[in-house]
Amino acid sequence: MSDELQVAVFASGGGSNFQALIDKKEEGKLHVTFALLLGNNSKAKAFERARNHDIPTLHSTPSHFEDEKKYTEKLLEEFESRNIGLIVLAGYMKMIPAEVIAKYHNRIINIHPALLPSFGGQGMYGKKVHQAVLDYGAKVSGITVHFVDEEYDKGPIILQETAPVLDSDDADSLAARVLKIEHANYWRAVEAFSQGTIKMEGRRVIGSV
Ligand code: GRF
């Protein structure tokens, strides 16, 4: 096992953010090992991306297990055996057991396609986020990378970047502009975490990203 940070990525869908992280690693900008791709949908493109880059995969979802306790045990076992130091959510649509969140406190990060605390919370995902931004009439949107805690989209913010909202936008065109910004920036938070250039001060994440 390399002494790089061992990272587990959780993805439910296309995994374009996962791909962008893999690309940054291959460009030599991101110094982590992708030790596991976990997904709840084995047909998701994220699995294909993992296989293309020899990243181990695990298809697992709460409904495969008798109860949440068994599911949690399986996840923790997998993470411990792979020495996972960071969990990166990249379009992951299933709940994460409370015990995993507690055990990986400030070691789970997520990317949200808007500027939190606006346009976030349970049920705010995908196009719904961008439509809400447009319906509200906001002039700026963007991305937020944050630690995950027990409350949806409320954990400490690691980085934010903005994207303009244009008069001509619909949810698709805004989503496309924001997604590009996600791809260009998610890796920076992963790298900052892995290199220890950020730390917590109260609920603020300080340092260089
Ligand atoms: C992204 O917009 C991300 O912000 C959100 O889920 C989407 C995942 O897209 N959390 P992809 O699967 O990485 O293409």
Side-chain angles (χ1 to χ4, degrees):
M1 205 178 272
S2 89
D3 42 357
E4 286 181 337
L5 178 72
Q6 304 292 303
V7 173
V9 177
F10 286 21
S12 299
S16 70
N17 273 288
F18 175 39
Q19 185 67 53
L21 293 173
I22 294 170
D23 294 347
K24 291 293 174 191
K25 178 178 167 63
E26 292 186 351
E27 284 168 31
K29 291 185 174 159
L30 177 56
H31 303 89
V32 300
T33 298
F34 293 111
L36 183 66
L37 180 271
L38 180 140
N40 52 292
N41 171 8
S42 60
K43 299 210 168 67
K45 190 155 183 209
F47 276 91
E48 193 184 315
R49 298 184 195 273
R51 285 191 295 268
N52 289 343
H53 296 271
D54 295 324
I55 296 167
T57 59
L58 177 65
H59 173 217
S60 191
T61 191
S63 60
H64 291 168
F65 294 83
E66 225 172 275
D67 54 28
E68 191 181 313
K69 189 167 175 282
K70 292 253 161 36
Y71 177 56
T72 302
E73 275 167 18
K74 168 73 175 163
L75 292 185
L76 292 176
E77 233 173 72
E78 287 286 341
F79 300 155
E80 274 152 33
S81 70
R82 295 169 199 272
N83 194 27
I84 298 298
L86 177 69
I87 296 170
V88 172
L89 307 185
Y92 185 65
M93 304 298 289
K94 291 278 173 191
M95 66 100 186
I96 297 174
E99 206 182 319
V100 174
I101 294 180
K103 197 144 197 178
Y104 284 80
H105 180 65
N106 288 344
R107 290 191 293 157
I108 306 177
I109 66 175
N110 181 44
I111 187 163
H112 183 75
L115 297 173
L116 293 174
S118 295
F119 310 114
Q122 199 156 10
M124 281 298 253
Y125 58 88
K127 255 190 231 172
K128 286 189 196 171
V129 177
H130 305 293
Q131 194 57 55
V133 169
L134 293 171
D135 291 346
Y136 192 85
K139 300 297 183 198
V140 177
S141 190
I143 66 162
T144 304
V145 179
H146 63 95
F147 285 115
V148 170
D149 63 14
E150 315 68 43
E151 280 190 278
Y152 261 91
D153 294 337
K154 291 266 177 74
I157 291 173
I158 303 168
L159 77 78
Q160 291 186 303
E161 293 290 337
T162 60
V165 178
L166 306 182
D167 290 349
S168 56
D169 270 333
D170 60 14
D172 288 324
S173 61
L174 181 56
R177 185 173 315 113
V178 169
L179 190 62
K180 274 193 195 155
I181 297 175
E182 295 185 42
H183 295 166
N185 289 285
Y186 202 5
W187 72 276
R188 291 172 43 217
V190 178
E191 180 69 358
F193 181 95
S194 77
Q195 301 306 306
T197 63
I198 48 174
K199 63 173 184 176
M200 302 301 301
E201 204 176 86
R203 73 157 274 134
R204 293 179 73 196
V205 181
I206 59 167
S208 80
V209 180

